[in-house]
Amino acid sequence: MAELKADVLVLGAGMVGVSAALHLQKRGRDVILVERNDLAGEETSFGNAGLIECASVFPYMFPRDFGQILQYAMNNAPQMRYQFSDLPTFLPWLVRYFLASSRDRTQHSAMAELPLIRRSLIEHEALMAEAGVPELLRRTGWLKLFRSDATLADAVRDFERAKAYGGIAGEVLDSNAIALREPNLTGEFAGAIYLPAPGFVPDPGGLAKAYAALFKRKGGRFLVGDARTLGQDAGRWRVAGSDGAAVAREVVVALGPWSDLVFRPLGYSIPLAVKRGYHLHLAPRGNAVLHHPVLDSDLGYLLAPMSRGIRLTTGVEFARRDAPPTPVQLRRALPRAHGLFPLGDALEAKPWMGARPCLPDMLPVIGKAPRHAGLWFDFGHQHHGLTLGPATGRLLAEMMTGETPFADPSPFAAERFG
């Protein structure tokens, strides 16, 4: 079979990989996008809340409240669940996550990521315009509901902190204001926080596919291949594909939760873990309309008005990436969601499951691999792969092509883990 040659191989065609490929292509690089599926956006990028979270200043860190930690430890929190049999596997990572969640280290992570957060919607808008899919962006913002005065007070404190550090706009709503924004919601709420700035994408997987189509229209090549075959020979990187091998001087690992399948055999001990999550689409009942994504914060689930129906998404499940699905959180959330909004039948036979790739400090790894020429990393975007993909793609492309990066890349270096 013929050998395909390029300047750069990008491994992974989720939102992160496709965005990196587009930004490299824009800077004159000949890029081959390597993906195990026939289409882009079929894995982690397919299943999320659809939010371009440009108002998320502080990352999702490990809680410091003892009562909340005890609830998590007892597996009683709707926001988080773990499998006891997998505890020895991920407990060392959880310890690192806890240590990285101190107030000072959380502040460091937030300020490091803030320039990327601020660019997130801007970069998406530019790509959507170029791809010809502006209709995939809705400027609705989203709602966080709180059922107790205590959780609302904590959220308001966090919101005020985000306003101070990130200039975030928003409103604190009472029950009457909630009803005006979402008249079909039912329940007793202490209040809500409305964040108007974030964009909402009703088909995240479709957006990744639209970006991939743009990449191909501009001359990029898409190769169905196995990233685990990656090897280096005579200064070139090679990966096997269904239509022959692809070779290039440089390669980008953008495989999300599967990135360890490439970097570990190369000798890197980056502490990548996953937070699994589930979703299910349901039909709205009657003429009910959901106008915004809505997070039922105290009960640990989110409803979003997707193109396929109302998407019910769960909180976090700590388990091995490839362990069989255990959608306990989804089963528990279903009756709660039915009580919040008029939902009809499920539109799928079984729920979708995906994995969020996470590092202990909740920052991605972006930049040059320290021990291999031509090897670059772009993974570990935790809950913000959809949000940050185009921004980190730009940052990486600037680093790879010698431009002055728009943000300080040093907090994202792989070397921070030793």
Side-chain angles (χ1 to χ4, degrees):
M1 292 185 181
E3 184 178 78
L4 302 176
K5 296 180 180 179
D7 297 324
V8 186
L9 306 177
V10 175
L11 309 181
M15 181 56 67
V16 172
V18 172
S19 298
L22 279 167
H23 277 285
L24 286 164
Q25 189 181 57
K26 183 178 180 180
R27 288 157 178 81
R29 296 297 193 263
D30 180 21
V31 183
I32 295 176
L33 193 55
V34 182
E35 166 64 35
R36 67 179 180 179
N37 298 299
D38 292 335
L39 298 172
E42 290 288 282
E43 300 286 358
T44 305
S45 296
F46 177 83
N48 52 64
L51 291 166
I52 301 173
E53 241 303 33
C54 57
S56 182
V57 175
F58 293 95
Y60 294 94
M61 306 306 286
F62 200 97
R64 297 308 235 188
D65 177 77
F66 177 77
Q68 194 174 7
I69 292 174
L70 183 61
Q71 190 181 24
Y72 285 2
M74 299 298 292
N75 239 354
N76 291 328
Q79 298 84 357
M80 192 279 288
R81 182 180 179 274
Y82 67 94
Q83 294 188 33
F84 286 98
S85 60
D86 292 337
L87 187 58
T89 302
F90 59 79
L91 184 58
W93 187 89
L94 280 179
V95 172
R96 296 183 72 159
Y97 185 23
F98 175 80
L99 294 174
S101 298
S102 68
R103 186 175 182 84
D104 288 345
R105 294 180 69 180
T106 297
Q107 182 81 8
H108 173 267
S109 292
M111 295 304 100
E113 196 170 74
L114 186 58
L116 306 183
I117 291 289
R118 285 174 169 162
R119 290 294 310 181
S120 59
L121 187 54
I122 296 169
E123 296 296 336
H124 267 292
E125 287 177 321
L127 288 181
M128 287 181 191
E130 195 174 1
V133 289
E135 71 278 4
L136 287 181
L137 176 64
R138 297 180 185 172
R139 302 302 297 265
T140 61
W142 68 303
L143 280 171
K144 298 181 180 182
L145 302 175
F146 300 92
R147 293 176 179 268
S148 76
D149 292 333
T151 55
L152 176 63
D154 288 343
V156 170
R157 281 195 296 270
D158 291 342
F159 173 52
E160 294 297 332
R161 189 178 172 208
K163 284 201 297 185
Y165 285 103
I168 302 304
E171 302 175 50
V172 179
L173 308 181
D174 61 16
S175 56
N176 291 328
I178 294 170
L180 287 174
R181 288 200 170 272
E182 290 290 356
N184 289 297
L185 297 186
T186 302
E188 297 293 327
F189 307 110
I193 294 176
Y194 170 59
L195 299 169
F200 171 59
V201 178
D203 185 1
L207 182 62
K209 290 173 176 61
Y211 289 172
L214 171 64
F215 168 75
K216 288 192 278 189
R217 287 200 301 271
K218 296 175 68 176
R221 288 169 287 172
F222 189 98
L223 175 69
V224 176
D226 186 350
R228 294 173 297 179
T229 65
L230 182 70
Q232 190 178 31
D233 179 45
R236 299 193 305 171
W237 291 95
R238 178 187 302 270
V239 68
S242 58
D243 297 323
V247 297
R249 297 188 310 271
E250 296 180 293
V251 62
V252 176
V253 180
L255 293 163
W258 296 277
S259 296
D260 61 326
L261 299 178
V262 171
F263 70 69
R264 290 196 193 284
L266 293 173
Y268 294 93
S269 298
I270 301 168
L272 181 69
V274 300
K275 297 179 181 179
R276 302 203 312 183
Y278 301 83
H279 82 227
L280 184 69
H281 293 102
L282 301 107
R285 194 153 32 86
N287 296 318
V289 175
L290 188 67
H291 299 284
H292 314 75
V294 173
L295 174 67
D296 195 343
S297 301
D298 295 358
L299 299 183
Y301 66 90
L302 181 143
L303 295 178
M306 294 291 184
S307 302
R308 297 168 183 256
I310 304 298
R311 179 177 288 184
L312 167 61
T313 72
T314 68
V316 168
E317 179 188 52
F318 285 103
R320 290 177 291 111
R321 179 191 59 214
D322 301 320
T326 53
V328 173
Q329 291 166 297
L330 196 60
R331 289 196 294 269
R332 292 173 178 170
L334 266 171
R336 297 164 179 168
H338 278 279
L340 177 68
F341 182 82
L343 293 169
D345 294 334
L347 300 175
E348 296 137 345
K350 63 179 182 178
W352 177 91
M353 184 191 78
R356 309 171 184 96
C358 300
L359 285 307
D361 56 6
M362 293 294 108
L363 294 178
V365 174
I366 308 167
K368 194 174 184 64
R371 297 192 300 277
H372 290 80
L375 177 64
W376 297 82
F377 295 144
D378 189 9
F379 59 82
H381 291 61
Q382 36 107 8
H383 299 256
H384 288 155
L386 173 65
T387 295
L388 294 179
T392 60
R394 175 182 166 180
L395 179 63
L396 180 73
E398 288 172 346
M399 296 169 70
M400 292 179 67
T401 58
E403 293 183 33
T404 300
F406 77 90
D408 179 10
S410 61
F412 312 109
E415 291 91 330
R416 73 186 190 266
F417 299 113

